[in-house]
Amino acid sequence: MRRKLVVGNWKMFGRLARNQALLETVRAETRNFTNVDCAVCVPFPYLSQVQSLLNGSRIAWGAQNMSQHEEGAYTGEVAPGMLQEFGCKYVILGHSERRAIYLESDEAVAEKFESAIKSGLTPILCVGETLAERDGGITEQVVARQLDAVIAKSGVQALAKAVVAYEPVWAIGTGKTATPDQAQAVHAFIRQRVAAADGKVAAGLCILYGGSVKPNNAAELFAKVDIDGGLIGGASLVAEDFAAICSAGN
Ligand code: PEP
């Protein structure tokens, strides 16, 4: 039986005082939840603050990107070992904003994925199609390509230590959510694709849905058989909304 997981992606939002207020409320409101795992992925400068605020709580934390390299002359980059020093459990990799704005290729994402696994971090691998790709009928092709790049580099067994997030690009930050049936269809496709390589890994794989998940649509999405929780952008910045979404997974 897979556990539900709800992860907040703060993107490039946050200030010390706001973070504290947000996390104190989320921590208090989720303290009695037993059936859902919760986490927040925050900007690098706040990892130390978040570590202090969440230590000993049920909420894990992580980053939103990292370098594939261990260390070296890579100005502006952050190494996996650095994330570990701040207690990170998760690292989001291949978010569509990284792919689109910073031109991260499938191969670069696969290298980061491999490096995260080797470092003991749990990668949250984001996959998903643009609106043009969906309209062009190539959603499955795109998602398969993004997934296969990682499997080719790290092997299907690596997915036993990872999370996949299906995030249709057209639904991220737009207020347009994939319908539960649309999301379920792609989640089932992802699970089948992994099952073709390893049935056990596929059965245990946590596949999150991301794209305008809100308190009013979370329960319906999370009720679908292959949807194991959510990756939450905008709503993770509002304490009551994030807690309500975690509650939907509980
Ligand atoms: C995201 O940033 O991964 C995301 C899903 O954002 P939103 O919930 O705001 O659509």
Side-chain angles (χ1 to χ4, degrees), residues 7-11 92 95-97 126 165-169 171-176 209-214 230-236 245:
V7 181
N9 172 16
W10 286 7
K11 310 196 189 202
I92 298 173
H95 190 282
S96 64
E97 287 153 15
C126 298
Y166 168 57
E167 298 207 304
V169 180
I172 297 177
T174 58
K176 283 186 204 155
Y209 168 77
S212 300
V213 178
K214 306 289 176 201
L231 182 55
I232 318 301
S236 72
I245 295 169

Side-chain angles (χ1 to χ4, degrees), residues 131-152:
L131 188 57
E133 289 164 340
R134 174 162 282 262
D135 289 346
I138 57 167
T139 295
E140 293 188 352
Q141 210 174 302
V142 170
V143 168
R145 193 199 68 222
Q146 294 169 334
L147 197 59
D148 290 354
V150 163
I151 296 175

Side-chain angles (χ1 to χ4, degrees), residues 6 8 34 55 57 66 81 85 94 99 121 125 135 140 156-157 160 164 167 178 222 233 246:
V6 176
T34 49
N55 234 337
S57 79
M66 60 165 223
E85 285 202 318
R99 292 180 191 263
L121 294 159
L125 171 71
D135 289 346
E140 293 188 352
V156 70
Q157 290 295 331
V164 172
E167 298 207 304
F222 296 172
C246 291

Side-chain angles (χ1 to χ4, degrees), residues 29-60:
E29 293 199 7
T30 59
R31 73 181 178 281
N32 294 326
F33 296 174
T34 49
N35 297 318
V36 64
D37 294 322
C38 310
V40 288
C41 290
V42 308
F44 297 130
Y46 297 126
L47 283 171
S48 173
Q49 181 199 21
V50 169
Q51 180 178 32
S52 307
L53 288 167
L54 294 181
N55 234 337
S57 79
R58 295 194 60 263
I59 307 170

